[in-house]
Amino acid sequence: MFCSGCGKELKENNKFCPFCGKSIYEKTPLAMEGMAKETPPAPYTRGGRALVAEPAAVVPSRRGKIIAIVVIVALLVIVGGVAAFLLTRDGGETMQVEGSSMEEESQEEESSTSELERARDEAQELLEQANDSIQELRGMGIDTSDLEDEILNAQSKFDTAESEEDYIGDDDSSAYYSNLVIEGCEEKKLAYKQAEAAEEERNRQLEKCRSDVLAELKRSIDPSFTYDPKVIYMDETCTYAELAVACTDAQGYPCQGFRVEAQRQGDTWVITNCIDPSEEG
């Protein structure tokens, strides 16, 4: 400690300066200068422990608080955005998978329904065709009694069908029986047309045979006679025939009739034998 008057060094228990007599409690500029040079006082003690004053807490400024709040809010927004993005992506993928699955199931149901409707339409078309074929044959006078069971089965299967197999299956379905009827009608129609054509050809050959034999009789016997040949037999192949010939003379008197045999050569009938009735007796 130093005197504030003369600047001399003093002892700790001095209340007055022994050199100038000035009280140590009065402070002068010189004393202030001396105080600036003296060592700092020892810290207060309690129970042998030094008590050190803790530095005052630094109080953040208003601007610092605002910046901190902005940073925290920004971080929260970023974290929330990332979380929302992840949830949206996962949720979107889940919804997309679920939507795709539902769409596939819907497409399968629509496909199944479409296939059943297609089978029904096909069976109905065949059934109508079978009925039309039956009616056509009946109109031609052709017997269809042997096809009645098949057409009834076709209609019954169509009316009770519950699946694609019931409509157009390969066996025991509406389409199966309808096809049997259609094929049976086609066979009957073909046979009818063949028989009709054969009948027409037979009638043509009968007339041709009579005409050719008449011409040959006039050339080979007596042209003044009148001949009236009639075919009494012709084979199924229309190549052989027998004819009974009635005739009258030039005066119109009936002559004894006779019988001839004729053979078709190409498209011409030729008399191969003339049979006298007396020889047949």
Side-chain angles (χ1 to χ4, degrees):
M1 178 183 298
F2 297 88
C3 177
S4 61
C6 62
K8 299 292 185 178
E9 185 174 1
L10 301 176
K11 295 181 179 180
E12 289 185 0
N13 56 356
N14 288 134
K15 296 182 179 180
F16 296 94
C17 177
F19 301 99
C20 65
K22 190 172 180 63
S23 174
I24 64 173
Y25 297 105
E26 294 181 6
K27 297 181 179 180
T28 63
L30 184 60
M32 294 295 291
E33 183 180 355
M35 290 175 66
K37 295 179 181 179
E38 66 183 5
T39 59
Y44 294 101
T45 62
R46 179 182 296 175
R49 293 181 59 188
L51 297 178
V52 180
E54 295 181 356
V58 178
V59 180
S61 65
R62 181 179 180 83
R63 183 179 179 185
K65 290 181 179 179
I66 294 174
I67 293 174
I69 292 172
V70 171
V71 171
I72 292 172
V73 171
L75 290 175
L76 290 175
V77 171
I78 293 173
V79 173
V82 172
F85 170 75
L86 294 176
L87 290 175
T88 303
R89 184 187 64 179
D90 295 341
E93 292 177 353
T94 302
M95 291 178 65
Q96 184 176 5
V97 171
E98 292 177 354
S100 176
S101 177
M102 292 177 64
E103 184 177 355
E104 290 178 359
E105 291 178 359
S106 177
Q107 289 178 351
E108 289 178 358
E109 291 178 358
E110 290 179 0
S111 176
S112 176
T113 302
S114 177
E115 288 296 320
L116 187 61
E117 291 178 352
R118 181 190 63 79
R120 183 182 185 281
D121 292 342
E122 183 177 342
Q124 184 174 8
E125 183 178 352
L126 287 172
L127 184 58
E128 291 175 355
Q129 185 178 348
N131 280 307
D132 290 343
S133 298
I134 289 287
Q135 295 302 322
E136 182 183 4
L137 292 187
R138 288 173 180 172
M140 296 168 64
I142 301 175
D143 181 28
T144 60
S145 58
D146 56 333
L147 299 175
E148 295 298 328
D149 288 342
E150 280 74 9
I151 195 67
L152 290 175
N153 286 335
Q155 185 66 58
S156 176
K157 284 293 181 180
F158 182 84
D159 293 338
T160 59
E162 296 180 353
S163 67
E164 185 178 350
E165 285 296 317
D166 293 335
Y167 282 120
I168 58 173
D170 294 334
D171 188 19
D172 196 32
S173 67
S174 178
Y176 172 78
Y177 291 111
S178 292
N179 281 322
L180 288 181
V181 173
I182 294 170
E183 291 172 2
C185 287
E186 289 299 321
E187 291 175 359
K188 284 180 175 291
K189 188 187 299 183
L190 178 60
Y192 176 83
K193 290 182 177 180
Q194 289 176 343
E196 190 177 53
E199 187 65 21
E200 290 178 358
E201 176 64 16
R202 183 176 183 82
N203 290 335
R204 190 181 76 84
Q205 290 299 330
L206 287 171
E207 183 60 29
K208 188 72 169 54
C209 178
R210 179 183 178 280
S211 175
D212 290 350
V213 167
L214 176 59
E216 188 173 354
L217 288 173
K218 288 183 176 181
R219 288 195 308 269
S220 60
I221 302 180
D222 188 343
S224 64
F225 280 31
T226 301
Y227 301 98
D228 184 19
K230 292 182 178 180
V231 179
I232 57 177
Y233 171 78
M234 181 177 285
D235 66 356
E236 292 181 358
T237 60
C238 298
T239 56
Y240 171 81
E242 295 178 4
L243 299 88
V245 182
C247 60
T248 57
D249 60 15
Q251 287 76 30
Y253 293 104
C255 300
Q256 184 178 13
F258 56 93
R259 196 162 56 87
V260 298
E261 296 178 335
Q263 193 82 27
R264 183 161 67 92
Q265 298 177 1
D267 198 36
T268 302
W269 288 88
V270 178
I271 296 175
T272 57
N273 189 22
C274 184
I275 304 171
D276 190 337
S278 61
E279 295 179 358
E280 291 183 336

